[in-house]
Amino acid sequence: MAMVEWDNAYSVEIQEIDEQHKRLIDIMNELYGALASKSHRDDIGIVLDELVEYTKIHFAVEETLMRIFHYEGYDQHKQIHDNIVRRVLEYQEKFRSGDNKVGMELLMFLKDWLFDHINKIDKAYVETFIKGGAKKTWMKKFW
Ligand SMILES: [Fe+2]
């Protein structure tokens, strides 16, 4: 049961970044599945932790590329990421302290945020990356 669906309209046209966005969507759907089927709290916690960790990894990759290619919007983009991570960590903390409703709140928050962020914020760095020598076919084996 998918709550969030990937659409090619969300492609930033750099393969690895698309793959990472798809992975984020997959984990969000996994969390949704775990919540909808009322999985054991520990199992929900595992998926929630994975979502938090993968969000951090994905942001770190984007931020590294922005620095490599001297992207002028780096500071602003980094600040947006930091704010999201802060919110996500707050949700994780609430869940750990016993709030069971927080998983769905986190999902709704990320769902509203993700596509808007990809379209308005992520797509803005692509031109700089490509001009700097990034290849659309880049996958993680290239770095
Ligand atoms: Fe981003």
Side-chain angles (χ1 to χ4, degrees):
M1 189 178 356
M3 183 197 66
V4 197
E5 302 254 20
W6 169 261
D7 187 291
N8 277 336
Y10 303 124
S11 173
V12 300
E13 297 188 47
I14 294 172
Q15 216 176 329
E16 172 64 14
I17 297 175
D18 283 350
E19 292 305 321
Q20 292 193 2
H21 287 148
K22 287 179 197 170
R23 177 81 191 117
L24 271 177
I25 290 169
D26 283 347
I27 308 172
M28 285 163 71
N29 283 326
E30 246 177 84
L31 181 57
Y32 180 70
L35 291 165
S37 63
K38 302 201 184 312
S39 296
H40 192 278
R41 195 171 199 285
D42 292 350
D43 295 326
I44 295 170
I46 289 169
V47 186
L48 197 141
D49 289 350
E50 197 187 345
L51 185 55
V52 173
E53 281 316 297
Y54 197 76
T55 302
K56 289 198 274 186
I57 290 167
H58 168 62
F59 286 174
V61 169
E62 278 192 352
E63 288 159 16
T64 303
L65 288 169
M66 284 188 255
R67 288 210 308 277
I68 289 172
F69 295 116
H70 306 291
Y71 177 55
E72 59 177 20
Y74 172 81
D75 288 343
Q76 201 196 356
H77 199 140
K78 168 92 169 100
Q79 210 177 354
I80 292 168
H81 283 174
D82 288 351
N83 286 335
I84 297 293
V85 169
R86 201 172 312 125
R87 292 283 301 274
V88 165
L89 290 174
E90 279 168 18
Y91 282 117
Q92 188 183 40
E93 198 45 53
K94 273 199 214 167
F95 181 83
R96 284 178 178 169
S97 58
D99 183 344
N100 284 334
K101 291 192 304 266
V102 82
M104 202 49 101
E105 285 170 26
L106 169 65
L107 267 181
M108 291 307 159
F109 168 69
L110 283 178
K111 182 179 179 243
D112 286 344
W113 166 79
L114 184 70
F115 293 120
D116 200 54
H117 181 83
I118 291 174
N119 276 328
K120 293 188 181 145
I121 311 293
D122 287 347
K123 283 184 179 175
Y125 58 52
V126 177
E127 197 186 333
T128 304
F129 287 11
I130 298 292
K131 274 189 185 154
K135 299 282 174 277
K136 293 184 175 187
T137 51
W138 267 7
M139 292 284 286
K140 60 183 164 220
K141 61 190 174 205
F142 288 97
W143 60 72

